[in-house]
Structures are given as structure tokens and as C-alpha cells.
Amino acid sequence: MTTNDSQQADQKAIWNGAAGQAWVRMQDLLDRLFEPQAARLAEAVRDAGARRVLDIGCGAGATTLAVAQQLGAGGRCVGVDVSEPMLAAARERAQRLGIAADFLRADAQRHAFEPA
């Protein structure tokens, strides 16, 4: 295992353990903290006329959901993260809010994404 592989394994362990669980517990506070950035990203998507967006490091989904809501039924937003606790929270939030967004547990540096 290379140093980079070891560091990636460490990050996965951290975000699937206590750090990921803490992020989920603090999600309401973090959403309020990052809401201005999520709103700016959603506006940028609108202004660019984007139809497909990949949100790398989506955490518990705040930016993914904001962008997916902006895209509406004609677009697609996929959130990617290594943390299953945060992705589970993101999926639950999307369902509860009725926002069509997809969430994928993957290392974005290594995942073989579909074309386009």
C-alpha cells in the first residue's frame, strides 16, 4: 500500500466513524453555516444553464439538495462521498423533502463514473 492509499484509507475510516457521525448530529448547525455557499452554488448552476451536476464530497447533502432543487425535474444532481453515515442522512433528507437527487458512496478520485 502506497502512502497515498494509506491516507485515503485513513480518510475513509475517519468519515465512516466518529467524524461522519458527528457531522450528521451537527447537520442543522452546519446547514445554517454553509447555506450562503449552497445558495451561491445553486445560483451558479442556474446561471450556467447546467443540467447535470456532480457534487464531490457532498457530505450530508446540503449542496446536492440545493442544486438538485434548482435543476428541477429536467436535471440530475449526484452527490458523492466516502461517508456512509453522511450519505444515509442525505438520502433520508432528499426523501423527506421530496427532492430528486442521487447519492453515491465512492472515492471520487478512483471511481469509474459514467460518461458525461
Side-chain angles (χ1 to χ4, degrees):
M1 183 180 287
T2 67
T3 301
N4 192 35
D5 289 338
S6 177
Q7 291 169 339
Q8 289 176 342
D10 290 347
Q11 286 298 307
K12 288 178 184 177
I14 289 168
W15 289 110
N16 281 289
Q21 293 165 3
W23 193 281
V24 170
R25 281 192 308 276
M26 300 300 295
Q27 192 58 50
D28 290 338
L29 173 65
L30 292 166
D31 282 353
R32 288 191 303 272
L33 180 68
F34 293 121
E35 192 281 327
Q37 288 82 5
R40 279 190 224 120
L41 285 170
E43 289 172 12
V45 164
R46 180 198 65 222
D47 294 347
R51 301 308 313 146
R52 295 172 54 114
V53 175
L54 179 64
D55 183 6
I56 298 173
C58 70
T63 53
T64 308
L65 295 173
V67 169
Q69 195 166 27
Q70 179 66 49
L71 290 172
R76 181 171 183 221
C77 189
V78 177
V80 179
D81 206 288
V82 296
S83 175
E84 188 54 43
M86 292 195 296
L87 290 170
R91 290 181 188 109
E92 186 278 325
R93 293 170 73 189
Q95 183 176 9
R96 179 173 33 86
L97 296 170
I99 299 173
D102 297 309
F103 294 95
L104 172 67
R105 182 178 177 195
D107 179 343
Q109 295 179 81
R110 296 174 182 241
H111 185 73
F113 290 100
E114 63 184 69

